[in-house]
Amino acid sequence: MIIQCRCLTKRYPADQGMVAAVNNVNLVVAQGEFVIILGHSGSGKTTLLSLIGGLTEPDSGEVLVNGVDNWHQSDEALSDMRNRTIGFVFQFASLIPTLTSLENVLLPLSFGRVPRGSHEQAREILARVGLGDKMHAYPGQLSGGQQRRIAIARAFINQPAIILADEPTGDLDEETENDILRIFRDYNEHGTTFVVVTHNVHLARTQKNPRVLEMRQGTLLEQDGRFA
Amino acid sequence: MDSGLRKHLNILDYTLLSLWRRRLKNLSILLVFAGVIFLVASFELVTQALTETADRALRNVPEITLQRLSAGRQETVPLTYMERLRGIFGIREIVPRVWGYYFDEVSGANYTVMGMDRRRMPGGKEMDLALARGDMPDPEERGAAVIGQGVETVLRQKGGSLLSLFRPDLSQVSFEIAGVFAPATDILTSDLIVLHPEDARDLFRIPSGMATDLLVYVANADEVSTIARKIATLLPDTRVLTRTQIRKTYQVVFGWRSGFASVCLLTALTAFVIFAWDKASGLSPEERREISVLKILGWETADILAIRFWEGLLVAGLAFVLGCTAAYVHVVFYDASLFRPVLVGWSVIRPDLRLLPTPELANFLLIFCGSVLPYLAATVIPAWRSASVPAETALSGM
């Protein structure tokens, strides 16, 4: 199992006291699975994703990635895991506006643990997402869809085993959405594990064998209503 | 290559890229910062050079100077006091000196006129060495004067070869120029006119048998304070000044002036650091997002701090080197032309001395600690605060 969440809970302060954004969630994801988590806005999807990615520390429970508990390792090891094992696709493009497309894609490699000379690899990925001719463009010169594709290329540059995607097709036109989902399917067919949170119920139809879960008020359910 | 070393090289690479990306902002900070450091370092170097010059010049001042006070004002000293002092063991020589200030209405300059018998002064022959040209007149020779560079400049502007001065009754007396003091002694001699003692008495209408003060030379330097105490007891109407006290006065004068200026400049420096702090602590949303994105992509908090540290060090370090180098060039090669009016004096005749400071590590270290370190703190601490918070906010676009 590449991801295991056990009794995962995360609470945030709210007007009416502490509210559980993620409430006692258990989830097991196998290598190469494509997991889609559906849910309305505020159901806790993004929080769950950040817990899995080691961006947020849970109040209770544990997250194991490749068998290692995220929060029982040093900051350095956790950063290393985020860098090498996980690729993040944000809800918004989150590109650095003062870097070119190529420099943005190369950012995870600048970390220094991956050998240099990866420009060729970055160019290939940019070509794969259809932006081979926009390598030296700045984010401000690109459309929203193109920025999203640059962010996806950045997520794949380290060839991570897991992709965590938060609303990857939100606010995109149909053509760009299809492009992105095709890229996801290609990578998934080559063994990359995906956990995608979205409110787009049609997304499941674009993938071969997706496993669809639903998040309701912090609780994770199988599509038939059983607890995941 | 070792992965740790490569990581640091990449961090440096990213830092340089980051500096370049915000080149206009960084360049303006660099220039302002370098300017402030230039001002502080210049004052430090000028003060040091002046104090050293004054110290060198004061080496030939007599161990004790005796003045007579009446109702708190300085009065002339009867030469008969010399006889009374001869009884004190340890005094090598007593030389009467006649001096005063002379205001030249035409040029608006104040001269210091001095008359003394240099034959009786230990080291009096060294005065010949202090001349740029000409000779000290023969001690018996009347009607000759030795003048400082500043006085010579005024004289040249007037177009005369004789130095003509007026007595209190407005009768005129003229002197031949026998010699001119060297520029190296400017700090003490620029406005100086040295005359025969009797000529000086005549100019100021000081009665014969009186002097302005008595210069007392002591054989053993360790005995100066004891002898000064004995003189004060023997002649209670006199003020006894030791060389140490005079040196301290000079240091206080330069210290006060440079201190005043330093306070103004340190205020400017502090204002700059507060500005930098405000600028840095108020990280823009783009900068905060950049930090969050970097963390999500696998950068550690320490990596982000390292970037900020190198950014700050490069900007502040470069500003420090530029500022200090410019200050040295300004003081040594341009004689601190910006600050001379403040530090050297406000007189019409300003000493035209060459400033040669000896750069001291401690001074530069002090400037470094007062400028570079606060700037580094102002850069790194806010980034640390920002880098320490969870980065998941970037997932939702903040």
Side-chain angles (χ1 to χ4, degrees):
Chain A
M1 294 301 122
I2 196 161
I3 300 170
Q4 293 178 72
C5 300
R6 293 176 188 156
C7 306
L8 208 53
T9 298
K10 180 69 187 176
R11 294 185 187 85
Y12 287 111
D15 292 341
Q16 62 272 39
M18 296 298 281
V19 171
V22 171
N23 189 14
N24 199 32
V25 163
N26 290 286
L27 174 67
V28 175
V29 179
Q31 168 94 43
E33 254 194 304
F34 198 108
V35 178
I36 297 171
I37 301 175
L38 297 171
H40 295 295
S41 181
S43 59
K45 307 186 298 291
T46 300
T47 304
L48 178 61
L49 214 58
S50 68
L51 286 165
I52 294 172
L55 300 174
T56 305
E57 189 171 4
D59 292 329
S60 62
E62 56 187 13
V63 179
L64 283 76
V65 175
N66 279 329
V68 179
D69 188 344
N70 278 353
W71 297 97
H72 277 87
Q73 55 187 334
S74 64
D75 182 43
E76 189 182 355
L78 186 61
S79 299
D80 189 43
M81 185 272 287
R82 280 202 294 262
N83 182 249
R84 298 173 113 178
T85 311
I86 298 176
F88 289 92
V89 178
F90 306 112
Q91 194 169 348
F92 298 92
S94 286
L95 301 177
I96 309 274
T98 47
L99 295 180
T100 64
S101 303
L102 186 66
E103 288 164 346
N104 264 294
V105 172
L106 284 168
L107 258 184
L109 300 183
S110 314
F111 190 40
R113 294 188 176 110
V114 183
R116 276 183 152 188
S118 305
H119 282 64
E120 201 50 46
Q121 191 188 341
R123 285 192 186 95
E124 275 175 30
I125 291 183
L126 277 170
R128 200 167 167 186
V129 298
L131 292 172
D133 57 337
K134 301 283 185 190
M135 278 187 291
H136 301 295
Y138 287 91
Q141 299 168 315
L142 301 172
S143 68
Q146 288 172 325
Q147 288 187 30
R148 193 68 60 86
R149 280 188 276 168
I150 300 288
I152 288 167
R154 184 178 64 188
F156 286 109
I157 187 72
N158 267 347
Q159 298 170 319
I162 303 166
I163 291 287
L164 301 179
D166 188 6
E167 298 286 6
T169 58
D171 303 330
L172 293 182
D173 59 80
E174 197 177 338
E175 192 184 343
T176 311
E177 183 179 327
N178 290 336
D179 284 347
I180 288 172
L181 295 174
R182 198 178 307 120
I183 294 164
F184 279 14
R185 195 169 57 227
D186 287 351
Y187 273 95
N188 183 234
E189 281 172 3
H190 285 89
T192 306
T193 306
F194 280 77
V195 178
V196 180
V197 301
T198 182
H199 62 269
N200 182 354
V201 291
H202 305 298
L203 198 142
R205 274 186 249 137
T206 63
Q207 304 301 318
K208 278 193 171 171
N209 293 303
R211 177 181 166 201
V212 181
L213 304 170
E214 192 178 351
M215 197 87 182
R216 276 191 213 155
Q217 293 180 330
T219 307
L220 194 62
L221 305 166
E222 296 284 356
Q223 231 187 1
D224 57 9
R226 290 182 291 113
F227 286 104
Chain B
M1 193 190 291
D2 174 53
S3 69
L5 181 62
R6 185 185 297 120
K7 178 180 169 181
H8 285 288
L9 284 176
N10 282 345
I11 284 173
L12 267 177
D13 198 28
Y14 187 89
T15 304
L16 292 174
L17 195 66
S18 172
L19 285 172
W20 179 248
R21 279 189 276 135
R22 301 181 181 99
R23 53 189 172 277
L24 270 180
K25 176 187 160 193
N26 287 319
L27 189 67
S28 52
I29 289 177
L30 176 76
L31 290 177
V32 173
F33 204 5
V36 173
I37 289 173
F38 162 76
L39 294 174
V40 175
S42 288
F43 266 95
E44 194 63 42
L45 289 171
V46 171
T47 308
Q48 190 197 354
L50 286 176
T51 313
E52 278 175 13
T53 309
D55 227 33
R56 267 199 307 274
L58 287 170
R59 276 179 207 145
N60 291 327
V61 166
E63 284 81 15
I64 295 170
T65 303
L66 195 72
Q67 297 173 338
R68 185 163 160 255
L69 294 181
S70 173
R73 288 193 307 274
Q74 193 179 343
E75 292 279 326
T76 50
V77 187
L79 295 183
T80 51
Y81 277 23
M82 290 165 63
E83 292 311 313
R84 296 176 67 183
L85 294 177
R86 294 215 189 277
I88 297 175
F89 184 75
I91 291 179
R92 182 157 58 141
E93 186 62 83
I94 304 166
V95 181
R97 184 170 65 171
V98 179
W99 67 275
Y101 298 115
Y102 181 92
F103 179 65
D104 184 349
E105 285 185 11
V106 179
S107 64
N110 259 314
Y111 303 142
T112 303
V113 178
M114 198 170 285
M116 57 194 169
D117 186 351
R118 67 187 177 96
R119 280 176 309 180
R120 296 168 63 181
M121 294 164 61
K125 285 178 186 168
E126 288 174 17
M127 287 179 81
D128 289 320
L129 302 174
L131 297 183
R133 59 180 177 278
D135 296 300
M136 291 300 286
D138 189 274
E140 301 298 330
E141 185 183 340
R142 300 278 304 265
V146 176
I147 59 176
Q149 294 279 333
V151 183
E152 195 203 20
T153 306
V154 174
L155 199 61
R156 208 182 303 125
Q157 283 164 357
K158 284 183 179 174
S161 57
L162 285 175
L163 178 66
S164 295
L165 304 172
F166 292 93
R167 299 184 186 94
D169 59 7
L170 298 183
S171 59
Q172 190 175 331
V173 56
S174 296
F175 300 93
E176 293 272 358
I177 306 301
V180 178
F181 284 108
T185 62
D186 252 4
I187 197 164
L188 291 180
T189 65
S190 185
D191 65 344
L192 188 63
I193 300 170
V194 176
L195 302 175
H196 188 281
E198 288 307 323
D199 283 340
R201 275 197 193 91
D202 174 47
L203 178 69
F204 291 129
R205 289 286 193 235
I206 292 173
S208 175
M210 301 296 272
T212 317
D213 48 25
L214 300 178
L215 310 181
V216 179
Y217 293 90
V218 175
N220 181 359
D222 294 337
E223 292 293 320
V224 172
S225 55
T226 311
I227 291 170
R229 215 168 30 247
K230 284 180 181 173
I231 294 172
T233 310
L234 186 67
L235 302 170
D237 61 340
T238 58
R239 175 167 63 182
V240 184
L241 297 169
T242 63
R243 182 162 59 192
T244 313
Q245 288 168 327
I246 294 171
R247 182 179 287 130
K248 272 183 188 165
T249 307
Y250 270 83
Q251 282 169 348
V252 166
V253 168
F254 289 125
W256 179 83
R257 288 184 184 176
S258 72
F260 175 73
S262 296
V263 165
C264 297
L265 290 171
L266 280 173
T267 308
L269 189 65
T270 309
F272 176 78
V273 169
I274 291 170
F275 164 76
W277 171 270
D278 184 54
K279 196 83 182 157
S281 58
L283 285 177
S284 67
E286 286 76 24
E287 286 170 317
R288 262 202 299 273
R289 192 171 72 159
E290 181 176 333
I291 289 175
S292 295
V293 169
L294 289 176
K295 278 197 81 176
I296 289 171
L297 295 179
W299 292 60
E300 291 168 43
T301 305
D303 299 331
I304 292 159
L305 293 186
I307 291 171
R308 287 290 171 173
F309 173 79
W310 283 115
E311 274 183 14
L313 190 67
L314 284 171
V315 170
L318 196 57
F320 177 76
V321 171
L322 280 176
C324 288
T325 308
Y328 190 78
V329 170
H330 170 231
V331 173
V332 174
F333 296 102
Y334 293 94
D335 291 330
S337 50
L338 287 178
F339 309 131
R340 286 172 71 89
V342 183
L343 281 171
V344 177
W346 290 271
S347 165
V348 171
I349 297 178
R350 293 199 178 96
D352 190 28
L353 77 164
R354 301 283 303 169
L355 295 170
L356 273 176
T358 317
E360 283 184 15
L361 187 65
N363 292 340
F364 288 108
L365 205 62
L366 188 71
I367 297 170
F368 183 87
C369 292
S371 57
V372 176
L373 296 188
Y375 184 82
L376 273 182
T379 311
V380 173
I381 292 172
W384 169 73
R385 278 166 49 200
S386 190
S388 301
V389 297
E392 83 271 14
T393 40
L395 272 176
S396 55
M398 305 176 73

